[in-house]
Amino acid sequence: MSVRDLELPRIDTLHRAGDQIYGLLRRHIQSMQLAPGASISESEVASILGASRTPVREAFQKLREEGLIKTLPSRGSFVAKLSRQRIHEAQFLREAIEVAVVQKLATKGISRQVIAALEGNLQQQKVAAENEDIQGFHALDDEFHGLLAKATELMRVEAALDREKAHLDRLRGISLRVDGHPAVLFSEHQAILKAVVSGESDRATQLVREHCQSIFNALNALHNQHRDYFDELIPSAADRQNRHTEL
């Protein structure tokens, strides 16, 4: 799918155009509506959105800094392909942060106000899962983990978590399309919150590790089905096993 195939709204002149364009393109890249390797041009985006080149250039620069767009001399700009190495690194860092968060909260306690906010979020997750609202569930998933991170009162934690999740979100979007997966994630979130509130640090840690590592199922499935989406063709676990068997 190209930029012209997307349903993009015109720019709201009351708000910064660069931020709007960045947000729109980022969402479509993370949802895989703009597939890895797809061509994307500043002039085409500006024309479709009715914007000048300056805010579009600003949005492209932010996306390049995040590693979501790659610009090649004399060839143009493309949606960055996925990197198994970078995904593994991001998952490792995300898991380390998430584990530290729940350990701190389970040990030190969590306020009733935060618990109420998390429970409200879970109720919305349940509705989104039942209605198969993938985008809505994805946003609520992010909010759930963000609320836990904020509860530590360590302000850089949430920003660090958000930065690392950026390299996992395309896989998360794919996994959410699997029938019943949002409901599974909802149940996992419920269990994590219960363990944190009960002060069960070891239990919360185990649940979070399993929750974070489930992304590898989506990674292996996508790598097997769409190897052209990846920057490097590193053999999957199944490939390595097959090769070992052949030898």
Side-chain angles (χ1 to χ4, degrees):
M1 183 178 289
S2 70
V3 174
R4 290 197 173 277
D5 297 319
L6 301 175
E7 294 184 8
L8 298 175
R10 304 289 283 185
I11 294 300
D12 182 351
T13 57
L14 297 178
H15 298 90
R16 290 192 76 251
D19 291 343
Q20 293 178 67
I21 297 167
Y22 162 75
L24 286 168
L25 294 178
R26 192 176 194 267
R27 284 194 294 275
H28 284 298
I29 290 171
Q30 290 180 328
S31 68
M32 298 286 278
Q33 288 180 289
L34 283 173
S39 175
I40 180 169
S41 94
E42 292 182 6
S43 59
E44 187 174 41
V45 170
S47 174
I48 293 170
L49 295 177
S52 68
R53 291 287 292 275
T54 298
V56 175
R57 192 173 298 116
E58 175 187 321
F60 270 52
Q61 180 58 32
K62 287 184 179 180
L63 293 167
R64 272 192 292 270
E65 290 171 358
E66 287 191 346
L68 295 176
I69 281 181
K70 181 177 289 187
T71 299
L72 304 176
S74 304
R75 291 184 57 191
S77 294
F78 302 85
V79 175
K81 290 195 173 186
L82 297 166
S83 163
R84 288 179 68 96
Q85 178 67 26
R86 194 159 191 176
I87 288 168
H88 276 268
E89 291 171 354
Q91 190 282 332
F92 178 86
L93 292 169
R94 182 205 174 187
E95 182 178 323
I97 294 170
E98 298 271 18
V99 164
V101 165
V102 297
Q103 285 178 337
K104 181 177 177 63
L105 296 178
T107 302
K108 301 295 184 181
I110 185 169
S111 73
R112 290 182 180 178
Q113 182 179 3
V114 173
I115 293 172
L118 286 162
E119 290 176 341
N121 172 280
L122 286 173
Q123 288 300 314
Q124 293 180 69
Q125 283 188 39
K126 185 174 185 293
V127 172
E130 290 172 347
N131 293 336
E132 299 181 352
D133 178 5
I134 303 304
Q135 290 188 346
F137 188 91
H138 197 158
L140 290 163
D141 186 343
D142 285 340
E143 182 182 82
F144 177 82
H145 290 280
L147 286 168
L148 287 172
K150 280 182 182 177
T152 65
E153 299 181 347
L154 300 172
M155 302 312 296
R156 293 175 61 190
V157 170
E158 186 183 9
L161 183 60
D162 186 62
R163 183 175 62 249
E164 295 309 324
K165 285 202 292 87
H167 299 291
L168 301 173
D169 276 348
R170 286 191 277 184
L171 290 178
R172 290 172 64 219
I174 292 168
S175 67
L176 286 173
R177 296 195 201 104
V178 176
D179 287 345
H181 192 56
V184 171
L185 294 179
F186 164 68
S187 295
E188 291 177 356
H189 290 155
Q190 277 189 312
I192 290 169
L193 180 58
K194 181 180 179 181
V196 168
V197 173
S198 300
E200 302 175 72
S201 180
D202 290 344
R203 173 70 174 157
T205 296
Q206 177 189 352
L207 290 169
V208 164
R209 289 196 188 281
E210 293 172 354
H211 183 69
C212 290
Q213 290 174 15
S214 66
I215 197 70
F216 291 134
N217 295 328
L219 173 60
N220 290 329
L222 183 64
H223 187 257
N224 290 334
Q225 295 169 13
H226 294 284
R227 299 201 175 197
D228 55 313
Y229 283 179
F230 289 80
D231 224 352
E232 70 289 310
L233 298 181
I234 298 175
S236 67
D239 291 333
R240 289 195 295 271
Q241 181 61 40
N242 290 338
R243 187 171 300 169
H244 178 72
T245 302
E246 291 171 359
L247 293 175

